[in-house]
């Protein structure tokens, strides 16, 4: 019984590790309102929050995206014009 509890506890500890936000800067290649996401020229796709106003963004605009990786997706928490 204890032999099973130790690996389970280790797995739980690894899954509970905090997620860290990262920031990427790039130029918007496409905006997809149906999926609520943007794709940068470099190929990265970011899903935006449902309440995000996509009208603030324009294709060709240089932006800085703050995001978290969740599974295979990059979830944006903030998108602002880059300097």
């Amino acid at each position: 019984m204890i032999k099973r509890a130790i690996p389970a506890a280790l797995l739980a500890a690894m899954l509970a590790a905090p997620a860290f936000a990262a920031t990427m800067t790039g130029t918007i290649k496409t905006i997809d309102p149906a999926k609520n996401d943007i794709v940068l020229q470099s190929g990265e796709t970011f899903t935006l929050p449902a309440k995000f106003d996509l009208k603030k963004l324009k294709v060709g605009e240089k932006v800085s995206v703050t995001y978290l990786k969740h599974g295979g997706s990059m979830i944006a928490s903030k998108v602002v014009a880059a300097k």
Side-chain angles (χ1 to χ4, degrees):
M1 181 83 118
I2 292 179
K3 288 182 182 181
R4 290 185 184 171
I6 292 173
L10 289 173
L11 178 61
M14 289 188 311
L15 293 175
F20 294 98
T23 302
M24 180 178 292
T25 300
T27 303
I28 298 174
K29 179 178 179 180
T30 63
I31 300 171
D32 187 342
K35 292 182 181 178
N36 213 41
D37 67 20
I38 61 171
V39 178
L40 300 184
Q41 290 288 345
S42 54
E44 288 85 2
T45 300
F46 297 92
T47 302
L48 302 172
K51 63 184 177 192
F52 191 88
D53 184 8
L54 289 172
K55 294 175 187 171
K56 292 185 194 178
L57 303 176
K58 293 181 177 42
V59 171
E61 179 180 18
K62 188 172 181 179
V63 293
S64 180
V65 182
T66 302
Y67 67 96
L68 294 173
K69 255 190 147 176
H70 183 67
S73 300
M74 292 188 280
I75 311 300
S77 58
K78 184 177 175 183
V79 181
V80 296
K83 296 176 183 178

